């Protein structure tokens, strides 16, 4: 977010969204007193489960809204520089949302903390690590993530799934995935845009994750997952399931204002300098003028020499013609010799 982002406007829009959601809540929404974590064998974890209409266990997915303030989202345009298994395993889709002091958002943070405490009561012999709602500019925030890959031996019953074209359009992740990993259900995140059709019905359509920016009002869908760590401790984290764009008008207004108030780039001034002569007594211009003035004299002298040569040749030709004037053309070569013709050399 830039300096022109209107936090108060975003906060008002968030409160309006929370108010609309409260109108649609019904009695079927699970209450905290009904929540219980159940053990899942693959992958080894504890998750909040409920029975669906078919009597099967289904994972509970919760939602909350906020302003996107930090993220690491796809797509990858090039593979990471380090490609060992540990780094590939830790590649993840990450988001962080805040509310700039909205009371409804703060209540959502309290609900998540209550869920953690319920898990602590359920696991009396273990320690559930606290959740840090690390503030963003003084306001509480919620973080959620999902890895791109899961170790194959942790989910032996799952099959590898292809990446969404929006998540991996350049096939970077598909080519990076080792055989010991899979891209499974826990690694899939839906990126959506919430729209309203002409009948006023809400619709969700897929969106390119790169269009989501800091400052957008979004809704996150997540599940609470507790995994074992060292020394009988449990870590409960929010596993990201979906990220939905609700409103990006405040962010776009701040970007337009930033462009309007930013002065255009000025042309860079090119600095010139004077080159000094290496010798103080050298007058280059005067010397060159003398050289140029001397050239016509040399050319004229050459022309005079050429004229003298031409006169000499004319004199020689005229002498030859006089000697040939008494030559008898009808006679033979001997008569020519007898005529006494003498050609001066």
């Amino acid at each position: 977010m830039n300096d022109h982002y209107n936090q108060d406007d975003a906060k008002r829009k968030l409160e309006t969204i929370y108010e609309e959601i409260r109108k649609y809540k019904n009695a079927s929404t699970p209450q905290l007193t009904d929540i219980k974590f159940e053990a899942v064998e693959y992958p080894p974890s504890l998750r909040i489960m409920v029975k669906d209409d078919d009597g099967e266990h289904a994972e509970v997915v919760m939602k909350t809204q906020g302003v996107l303030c930090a993220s690491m989202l796809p797509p990858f345009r090039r593979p990471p520089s380090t490609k060992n298994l540990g780094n590939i395993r830790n590649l993840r889709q990450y988001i962080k949302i805040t509310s700039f002091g909205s009371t409804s958002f703060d209540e959502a943070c309290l609900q998540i903390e209550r869920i953690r405490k319920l898990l602590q009561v359920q696991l009396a012999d273990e320690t559930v690590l606290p959740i840090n709602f690390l503030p963003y500019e003084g306001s509480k925030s919620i973080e959620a993530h999902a890895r791109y890959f899961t170790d194959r031996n942790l989910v032996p019953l799952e099959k590898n799934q292809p990446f969404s074209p929006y998540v991996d359009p350049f096939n970077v992740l598909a080519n990076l995935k080792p055989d010991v990993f899979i891209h499974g259900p826990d690694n899939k995140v839906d990126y959506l845009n919430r729209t309203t059709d002409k009948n006023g019905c809400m619709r969700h359509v897929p969106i390119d994750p790169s269009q989501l920016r800091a400052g957008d009002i979004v809704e996150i869908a997540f599940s609470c997952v507790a995994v074992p760590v060292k020394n009988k401790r449990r870590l409960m984290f929010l596993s990201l399931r979906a990220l939905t764009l609700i409103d990006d008008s405040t962010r776009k207004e701040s970007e337009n204002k930033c462009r309007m108030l930013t002065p255009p780039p000025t042309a860079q001034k090119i600095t010139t300098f004077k080159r000094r002569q290496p010798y103080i007594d050298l007058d280059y211009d005067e010397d060159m003028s003398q050289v140029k003035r001397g050239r016509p004299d040399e050319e004229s002298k050459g022309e005079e020499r050429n004229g003298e040569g031409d006169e000499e040749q004319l004199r020689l030709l005229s002498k030859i013609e006089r000697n040939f004037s008494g030559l008898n053309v009808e006679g033979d070569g001997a008569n020519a010799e007898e005529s006494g013709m003498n050609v001066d050399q």
Side-chain angles (χ1 to χ4, degrees), residues 32 35-38 40 45-49 59-63 108 111-116 119 131 144 221-227 235-241:
L32 286 180
I35 287 179
K36 183 179 180 181
F37 283 83
E38 297 187 12
V40 177
S45 58
L46 295 175
R47 301 172 185 240
I48 302 175
M49 296 289 190
E59 186 177 15
V60 174
V61 176
M62 292 165 274
K63 300 174 184 176
Q111 292 281 61
I112 296 174
E113 177 60 22
R114 293 189 187 106
I115 293 175
R116 188 197 70 83
L119 176 62
I131 298 176
F222 61 92
S223 59
C224 295
V225 180
V227 294
L235 171 66
M236 192 190 88
F237 67 93
L238 307 186
S239 181
L240 186 63
R241 295 285 181 255

Side-chain angles (χ1 to χ4, degrees), residues 32 65 163 193 209 242 315:
L32 286 180
Q65 299 75 30
F163 286 94
N193 182 24
R315 285 196 299 269

Side-chain angles (χ1 to χ4, degrees), residues 94-97 132-134 141-145 220 237-238:
Y94 163 84
I95 61 95
K96 181 177 182 178
I97 60 174
N132 294 322
F133 300 98
L134 190 65
S141 66
I142 295 176
E143 296 176 306
H145 74 272
I220 63 171
F237 67 93
L238 307 186

Side-chain angles (χ1 to χ4, degrees), residues 1-222:
M1 285 174 277
N2 55 52
D3 296 335
H4 304 287
Y5 188 84
N6 192 337
Q7 297 183 1
D8 294 333
D9 181 54
K11 180 180 176 181
R12 286 192 297 269
K13 291 179 179 179
L14 265 180
E15 290 290 354
T16 302
I17 293 172
Y18 278 116
E19 186 63 29
E20 293 177 355
I21 292 174
R22 279 191 284 266
K23 294 178 181 179
Y24 292 100
K25 277 190 174 181
N26 51 47
S28 62
T29 303
Q31 302 300 315
L32 286 180
T33 54
D34 302 329
I35 287 179
K36 183 179 180 181
F37 283 83
E38 297 187 12
V40 177
E41 185 176 3
Y42 302 118
S45 58
L46 295 175
R47 301 172 185 240
I48 302 175
M49 296 289 190
V50 293
K51 288 186 178 182
D52 57 14
D53 297 336
D54 298 330
E56 296 182 357
H57 286 81
E59 186 177 15
V60 174
V61 176
M62 292 165 274
K63 300 174 184 176
T64 190
Q65 299 75 30
V67 178
L68 189 65
C69 59
S71 65
M72 290 189 298
L73 300 177
F76 279 85
R77 297 187 178 274
R78 61 182 63 86
S81 56
T82 306
K83 300 179 182 180
N84 59 59
L85 291 180
N87 287 338
I88 295 176
R89 179 185 291 110
N90 290 325
L91 292 175
R92 64 190 66 200
Q93 306 157 83
Y94 163 84
I95 61 95
K96 181 177 182 178
I97 60 174
T98 188
S99 68
F100 304 114
S102 170
T103 56
S104 299
F105 184 86
D106 292 343
E107 179 61 27
C109 294
L110 291 176
Q111 292 281 61
I112 296 174
E113 177 60 22
R114 293 189 187 106
I115 293 175
R116 188 197 70 83
K117 290 181 178 180
L118 289 174
L119 176 62
Q120 181 63 78
V121 173
Q122 184 176 339
L123 301 175
D125 57 341
E126 296 185 34
T127 300
V128 180
L129 299 176
I131 298 176
N132 294 322
F133 300 98
L134 190 65
Y136 176 83
E137 296 189 1
S139 301
K140 289 184 178 181
S141 66
I142 295 176
E143 296 176 306
H145 74 272
R147 293 182 176 181
Y148 288 104
F149 305 110
T150 300
D151 288 72
R152 188 181 292 274
N153 61 344
L154 297 179
V155 285
L157 303 180
E158 301 288 350
K159 293 183 179 181
N160 184 64
Q161 299 181 5
F163 286 94
S164 165
Y166 285 122
V167 173
D168 193 26
F170 308 107
N171 293 323
V172 174
L173 294 171
N175 296 331
L176 183 66
K177 184 187 73 67
D179 291 336
V180 295
F181 294 153
I182 70 165
H183 180 69
D186 282 345
N187 312 119
K188 182 180 178 182
V189 177
D190 294 321
Y191 296 95
L192 307 169
N193 182 24
R194 179 175 296 173
T195 60
T196 304
D197 60 16
K198 59 182 180 180
N199 298 322
C201 297
M202 190 179 297
R203 294 286 183 264
H204 293 84
V205 295
I207 188 177
D208 185 353
S210 62
Q211 298 181 18
L212 297 165
R213 309 286 180 81
D216 291 341
I217 297 178
V218 298
E219 177 180 85
I220 63 171
F222 61 92

